[in-house]
Amino acid sequence: MQIPEQVDVVVVGAGPGGSRAAREAASLGLKTVVFEKRQEVGAPVRCGEGLGEAWMRINDIKLDRSWAKQEMHGAVVYSPSGKKIVIPTENKGWIIDRKVFDKQMAIDAGRAGARIFVKSTVYEVIKEGDIVKGVRVRTPYGSFDVEAKVVIAADGVESQTARSAGINTVNNAHEVDSGFQYEMVNIKFEHPDMIHLYFGNEIAPRGYVWIFPKGDDIANVGIGIIGQHEKTAKEFLDAFIEGHPEMFGEAAIVEMNGGCIPVGAPLSKPYMSGLMVIGDAAHMVNPIHGGGMGTSMEAGIIAARTAKKAIDAGDVSEKFLKQFYDEWMEKRGKQLLQVLKVRRFFEKLSDSDLEKLADMVTPELLLDIADGRKAKTFIKIISKAPKIAMLAAKELL
Amino acid sequence: MIKVDREKCIYCGGCVSVCPVNALTLLETRIDCDAKKCINCGICERFCPVGAIKVIKGGENADS
């Protein structure tokens, strides 16, 4: 197996962001190579596996029932005391199978002309001065230096590539959620076409428990909690499952997984000469629900198009590649920063504050707020609870 | 220095992402800790979703 010595673009990581970036770069005629450190793309899963249909349009992904397991038409939110709020939505979503989806994204990149090497670990970038010129990679075929005009680091939360280039991608321990999940079968639930979210500081401190139905009696049952807690995410989730025998009394576990969810601000400078950082590696994640597939793929497309422009112009300088960041900020980053403010506001609320909000706010408005919209309307409506309203004004405006 | 309980570890790589001194690496199912870099801060231990990490002060790179 011949590893190319010189390419236009090296993509590190074959998650959704990396594969989508590679597909775009190859489609634009760039000589593109993907290095994926795992021997199996997509496994093990580190994801709740929810994907809004809007993201498929934005990222030009054709829906395929091989990975789209169950259509979602809304959410059921449970307040700390168990008050149930059913929120049907017009926008559809899907619970997907990441093992099949990630593989398909890699297949699409390969078909577009990208060369993909699995079980191939990029352990550092090659730099000349402040310019990234390629990567060093260990593969089953030997260790190589690969020169690249542009490197796109899509290597997830661990993000060794950007770190070795000098971009600090370390997650602040208080700005991550610790995630844990079971895939279970033989669950008894109402609304198998809606996602279920359970809130409360006793249930999931700063986070929530989710049940994402995957068709029939199967679901992902997971939890995200604040990243530094004396109890583990697994302990909280096990307690939740034991507390709901009506759903899980007869259920069996068929998979266990987990991970780190960056819920802070995206990196303020995810680029340097010859390098762009996308996806979890750049903390491009929705800080409220922790979703990162859609944003990663979107950033991957922007990075690949920027790479094409830069290579055509013969200018891969930091100044040129900043276009990638500016465009991403305009399209998505600004919204994520507003969502971060909303998360920080909700984090300061007690369980009884949350109950009050559940009584005052319509489900539709709750969704808008969670997406970083309609802060002023929200504050007006909750003015009956002046303390919460003042906090909201301080945090959200 | 840390000790990773291989029975509990789900190799999610979360510890790698929060390590402030870049002492940890994940390859497939194995977490490695560089004893020269580790500062025994305990951030990874508190982060770990399954409680698989224990800080062992003065210990070797112990991977049970």
Side-chain angles (χ1 to χ4, degrees), chain A residues 37-39 44 46 121 157-158 160 163 170-171 173 176-180 227-229 232-234 256-260, chain B residues 8 10-28 42-44 46-51:
Chain A
K37 75 173 176 178
R38 295 164 166 184
Q39 64 187 33
R46 303 169 174 170
T121 306
V157 284
E158 299 127 82
Q160 301 296 307
R163 285 192 203 184
V170 174
N171 277 294
V176 297
D177 278 356
S178 179
F180 182 73
Q228 296 283 288
H229 197 284
T232 66
K234 179 175 180 296
M256 176 192 289
N257 55 48
C260 171
Chain B
K8 289 183 178 171
I10 53 172
Y11 31 93
C12 69
C15 51
V16 179
S17 84
V18 295
C19 177
V21 293
N22 215 10
L24 302 176
T25 47
L26 165 70
L27 190 58
E28 297 290 352
I43 286 175
C44 57
R46 286 190 298 278
F47 168 81
C48 181
V50 294

Side-chain angles (χ1 to χ4, degrees), chain A residues 107-262:
Chain A
I107 288 169
D108 291 346
R111 286 210 175 114
R115 295 198 64 195
I116 304 168
F117 295 92
V118 296
K119 208 170 173 65
S120 296
T121 306
V122 169
Y123 58 95
E124 64 180 2
V125 298
I126 301 164
K127 263 172 103 176
E128 274 177 34
D130 287 331
I131 307 165
V132 173
K133 292 280 193 180
V135 298
R136 300 208 156 89
V137 60
R138 279 190 284 264
T139 81
Y141 320 103
S143 293
F144 304 93
D145 284 4
V146 180
E147 273 179 48
K149 292 175 183 144
V150 172
V151 174
I152 297 175
D155 46 350
V157 284
E158 299 127 82
S159 66
Q160 301 296 307
T161 307
R163 285 192 203 184
S164 88
I167 294 179
N168 183 10
T169 63
V170 174
N171 277 294
N172 178 315
H174 298 281
E175 296 285 341
V176 297
D177 278 356
S178 179
F180 182 73
Q181 177 172 266
Y182 295 117
E183 184 177 357
M184 300 178 85
V185 63
N186 214 13
I187 306 172
K188 292 185 181 66
F189 39 38
E190 297 167 46
H191 306 293
D193 62 340
M194 290 191 172
I195 60 170
H196 299 251
L197 308 172
Y198 294 79
F199 290 89
N201 289 313
E202 302 292 318
I203 295 167
R206 199 186 68 186
Y208 58 92
V209 166
W210 63 81
I211 301 174
F212 286 0
K214 280 177 114 169
D216 299 327
D217 53 350
I218 303 171
N220 285 337
V221 183
I223 190 169
I225 64 164
I226 187 164
Q228 296 283 288
H229 197 284
E230 63 272 20
K231 270 172 74 180
T232 66
K234 179 175 180 296
E235 285 172 300
F236 277 104
L237 186 63
D238 287 342
F240 176 82
I241 288 169
E242 268 184 40
H244 289 277
E246 77 287 0
M247 282 191 283
F248 306 112
E250 309 286 320
I253 294 165
V254 292
E255 182 170 324
M256 176 192 289
N257 55 48
C260 171
I261 312 157

